[in-house]
Each structure stands twice: as C-alpha cells, then as structure tokens.
Amino acid sequence: MASISPPSQSAGLQAWLTYLEQLHPSAIDMGLDRVREVANRLRLTQTRAEVFTVAGTNGKGSSVRYLETMLREADYQTGVYISPHLNVYNERVRINGNMLADADHVAAFAAIERARGDISLTYFEFGTLAALYLMQQHELDAWILEVGLGGRLDAVNIVDANVALLTSVGIDHIGFLGSDRTGIAREKAGVFRPGRPAICGEPDFPAEVAVAAQQQSVLLQQVGKDFHYRLTTDTTWQFRNHDTMLNHLPLPQLPLPNAATAIAAIAASNLPVSDKAIRAGLAQAREPGRLQFIAAGPQQPVDSLLDVAHNPHAAQFLTQAIALRYPQRPVYAVVGMLHDKDISGTLAALAPMVTQWYFASLSEPRGASSLQLLEQKPAQAQVAGCFDNVAAAYAQAQQDAATHMQQQPHAKPPLVLVCGSFYTVGKIPTTE
C-alpha cells in the first residue's frame, strides 16, 4: 500500500477519519499485537478506573447505557466507548454522558499517529486507542468499553476488565468467530479475566465454555443461576441475586434482560451504587436506534419505532418486544440490510408481527439491494414495494399507515418499524 501523509492537527475531524480509512489494507484484522504495542508506548491501558468490558452478539449498546446511567446517578465520573456510531463519529466516546468536540478527537488521533510509527492500524483499532487516550485525559471512576467484534482478539481486550459482561451469544460474523454457538461463545468469553467477575446474560450459554471459564478461576455469574429477574406487573419488575433483592423496579425503555445483566455487573464491581441510583438510571436509559420510539408529529403522521436489529437473534427479541409493548398494532416494516448478514433468517424472525414490508436498498459497501431482500422474503409476506433508498421506503410506509388510520379510525393505530442495520436506522431523522 502506498504511503499517505497524515492530516495536520488543524485539519478537521472528517479529514482524519478519511485518513484512518486508508491506513490498513483490510477493515478487520483480528489480533492484538499491533494495537497493544502502540498502547504500551502511550501507557493507555493503565488506569485506576473500574473497567467494565461489554461483549455479546446483541444487547451491548443498551447494557453500556444502563451501566452509564446508573453509575452517573451514583455520582461516579464515567467514560464510555462504543461502536459503531449512528450519525456522527463523536457518538463513540462519551465523558460523563457527553460527547466530545471534534478538536478533542483530532488531538487524540494526532497523538496515536505520533506513537504508532510504522505500525499499521485499522480504522477501529486507531479509534479504540484514541478513545483510551481521551479517557485518560480525565479523572474517571469507570471506563465502560464496548467490544466491536468477538472479544478475545478485539482491540478493546488490550485493557483488563475488572468486570466483564457477556450479553448474548448468537450466530453472527461467522467468517471471523466461527459457525457454531460454542465457538462464538468461546471467542466472546475471551474478555473474561481469572479471579474477576464475568456476568453472563445469555440464558443458554454453552456449558463447556462456562466450565472452562470456571476452571480458569473466572468468577462467572449466569442469569437464571446466580442472578434472576422477572416481570411483576405490566410496569414493574424484580431483580435478585445471592445478596440483593430489588422489587418494584421501573420497566425500562431499553431491553429488560440487559438491565438485569448491568445491575448484576454493578453489584459485582468495586463501585457501590444505591437502590435509588439504580432506579433512576433505569428510568433514564435511552439509546438511539434501540427500541427508539418516535411519536407521530408534524414531520410524520404515524408513530415509528427504530431498532438496529440485524440478525435473527436480535430480530426475534424485537418481535417479542413489539408484541409486549405495542400489542395488536399493525406493523409497517421498512427494512434495509447488509448482504453478508443472514437476511432470510432475520426476515423470518420478524415475520410474525409484520403486516406489510417495505424493502430498501442500502448504497453503503456491503449494502443489499431491495431486490435481494425481496428474493429472501418469508412465504406469504405482503410486500408494498422495493425502494432505491430508505427515505423513499419510509415515506411510503408513513403514507400507507396514515391511510390505514383514516380508513379504520377506531382500530389500533399502526406502527412504522425501521430496522435491519445501523445504516438503515441512521437515515431516519429524529429530534433526539
């Protein structure tokens, strides 16, 4: 690859992001040697903060948000690193709940550039190192780090977690993680550390991986075994583990299983959090693109729900969540996906609650065309049309749903669902 020159530090953030995209011959390059060497040069993994590392096929983003809101309510100083972003790169790093300015990211990129020398880094690796650099500029009580892909060989794993979370284990990224749940679970469990807590929110966690973790002295806590949760009313739920019973907790907007996993992680950490802070954090937790409800208003006549579900596991959970939260409402589904995802499996998981489909092409690299989605649609699916882009599909779904409301004013109002990819959801304008 030809050598390219880095932007100046006075260049804008977009110039640096473009530069990062050109640095490495592949977007994904599993392994920690290169990224660890650069981190060691800047001592980026050395921190007094309590480190929470969050891995899993689905549910990472909401788990991170729960941890952040509950810890913030307890007056702890927090740093968060997530990926990918939905709208702007700045979303990837939050300090005390706030995004940072472009100039902060540019300064971090420049520091990593100076330190790396001739070591080649992927876009994600460079961004991860920059995030750690930014967190070290603040006196933080907690680092909350979301794994990008897998766990064992993910760049985030250069930092030893005080508490590791594994939210779920599904079939995804088979080219990198393996084609069976046991192999994928083993890769994700690579963020566990001997002698430290590992909180597993996957109820069907492969037994052989659990045994191997415990043989390595990991302090594994599993849902349904070491901690439990259940709905007690339509609006409240209960959490309990060996030491704690929390009753009448508010039902959160984000997925409940991840709330329970986050509470278990906080309970296992070295950061005491009061019941009051837990309740307040649960009530406040919101994450763009995860069960994000947008009420009808001047810009759209019908309620919408945005969710980045992009594999069968996430789609099944989304179907269950809609049945629970929006029962018997007709669902007009706008779907755009990447072609290397399990399209047929994802659409099949969504099918039980979709009234009408609107397939949209994605123009991004790896984006599937609407015709590719149509070819893999479930049997008996009612397809309103195939569209060149998400905006057109969304506009038509809103129009059709509004017509439905006019024709059946006394029926349950319809819901326009947008899902299938971060790229799909990110194209819907919101005021949040």
Side-chain angles (χ1 to χ4, degrees):
M1 173 177 279
S3 176
I4 53 175
S5 299
S8 67
Q9 194 160 335
S10 62
L13 177 58
Q14 188 54 54
W16 274 92
L17 295 177
T18 300
Y19 171 67
L20 266 55
E21 290 172 350
Q22 304 172 58
L23 278 182
H24 200 71
S26 59
I28 300 173
D29 188 355
M30 305 293 278
L32 300 181
D33 291 344
R34 291 171 296 102
V35 70
R36 181 178 282 121
E37 173 60 28
V38 180
N40 288 342
R41 293 177 184 181
L42 291 172
R43 300 182 179 179
L44 296 183
T45 63
Q46 299 178 17
T47 178
R48 295 180 180 178
E50 188 85 348
V51 178
F52 297 84
T53 299
V54 183
T57 304
N58 300 298
K60 296 189 296 289
S62 55
S63 297
V64 166
R65 184 68 76 168
Y66 282 129
L67 289 170
E68 181 186 31
T69 55
M70 289 187 284
L71 290 169
R72 292 284 300 134
E73 283 296 322
D75 292 327
Y76 290 116
Q77 307 294 300
T78 61
V80 165
Y81 173 54
I82 64 169
S83 67
H85 58 273
L86 196 58
N87 297 301
V88 295
Y89 185 88
N90 310 60
E91 297 169 14
R92 295 191 179 213
V93 181
R94 294 193 297 269
I95 302 296
N96 293 324
N98 299 311
M99 292 191 298
L100 299 174
D102 287 3
D104 295 316
H105 288 278
V106 168
F109 290 151
I112 303 305
E113 176 65 22
R114 289 190 296 270
R116 76 177 182 90
D118 60 357
I119 296 177
S120 181
L121 298 170
T122 68
Y123 180 100
F124 176 75
E125 291 168 342
F126 209 114
T128 300
L129 291 167
L132 300 180
Y133 178 89
L134 288 167
M135 289 187 191
Q136 284 202 335
Q137 308 309 303
H138 300 80
E139 292 291 330
L140 300 176
D141 300 303
W143 288 9
I144 307 169
L145 309 177
E146 179 185 340
V147 168
L149 173 61
R152 182 176 64 92
L153 297 177
D154 187 87
V156 164
N157 203 33
I158 62 174
V159 183
D160 290 331
N162 296 99
V163 182
L165 289 74
L166 201 167
T167 59
S168 62
V169 179
I171 303 296
D172 203 4
H173 300 295
I174 59 176
F176 296 97
L177 304 181
S179 58
D180 64 272
R181 292 185 73 253
T182 298
I184 292 172
R186 190 173 290 113
E187 287 296 316
K188 294 182 184 301
V191 300
F192 297 173
R193 294 295 188 270
R196 295 185 178 181
I199 313 302
C200 182
E202 168 58 70
D204 189 28
F205 191 57
E208 52 267 56
V209 182
V211 170
Q214 291 168 335
Q215 288 175 342
Q216 296 165 18
S217 300
V218 173
L219 306 179
L220 186 63
Q221 297 183 29
Q222 296 178 254
V223 68
K225 180 179 178 182
D226 303 290
F227 67 97
H228 309 263
Y229 68 95
R230 67 181 182 90
L231 284 170
T232 48
T233 72
D234 289 341
T235 57
T236 63
W237 62 290
Q238 176 194 83
F239 170 89
R240 63 183 174 87
N241 61 14
H242 297 308
D243 304 313
T244 305
M245 173 84 79
L246 298 174
N247 291 304
H248 308 297
L249 293 169
L251 188 64
Q253 185 264 337
L254 295 173
L256 183 57
N258 303 324
T261 303
I263 292 175
I266 286 177
S269 76
N270 295 307
L271 301 178
V273 176
S274 68
D275 291 1
K276 180 180 179 182
I278 288 174
R279 294 174 191 278
L282 289 172
Q284 292 184 19
R286 300 286 188 277
E287 184 72 1
R290 277 84 165 186
L291 294 176
Q292 182 181 1
F293 181 80
I294 305 174
Q299 303 301 318
Q300 52 175 40
V302 179
D303 295 340
S304 295
L305 187 70
L306 313 183
D307 196 276
V308 297
H310 56 270
N311 55 49
H313 186 278
Q316 183 179 23
F317 179 86
L318 175 58
T319 298
Q320 294 168 347
I322 289 176
L324 175 66
R325 297 168 189 242
Y326 311 103
Q328 300 179 333
R329 293 182 65 166
V331 175
Y332 291 65
V334 176
V335 182
M337 295 188 67
L338 300 180
H339 66 70
D340 53 1
K341 297 297 181 181
D342 183 354
I343 294 174
S344 62
T346 302
L347 298 182
L350 293 170
M353 56 82 182
V354 173
T355 306
Q356 197 151 276
W357 299 85
Y358 299 76
F359 294 133
S361 297
L362 293 181
S363 58
E364 287 78 11
R366 300 160 51 216
S369 71
S370 58
L371 292 178
Q372 287 176 299
L373 301 183
L374 180 65
E375 290 171 356
Q376 300 187 59
K377 71 177 180 67
Q380 312 304 318
Q382 299 297 312
V383 179
C386 293
F387 301 84
D388 291 338
N389 55 69
V390 173
Y394 184 67
Q396 188 63 55
Q398 281 282 330
Q399 180 179 323
D400 292 350
T403 300
H404 174 98
M405 283 199 300
Q406 294 170 357
Q407 294 174 344
Q408 302 185 44
H410 302 297
K412 286 269 190 177
L415 181 72
V416 174
L417 170 69
V418 182
C419 66
S421 171
F422 279 86
Y423 293 120
T424 308
V425 170
K427 291 177 171 61
I428 305 301
T430 69
T431 57
E432 298 184 13

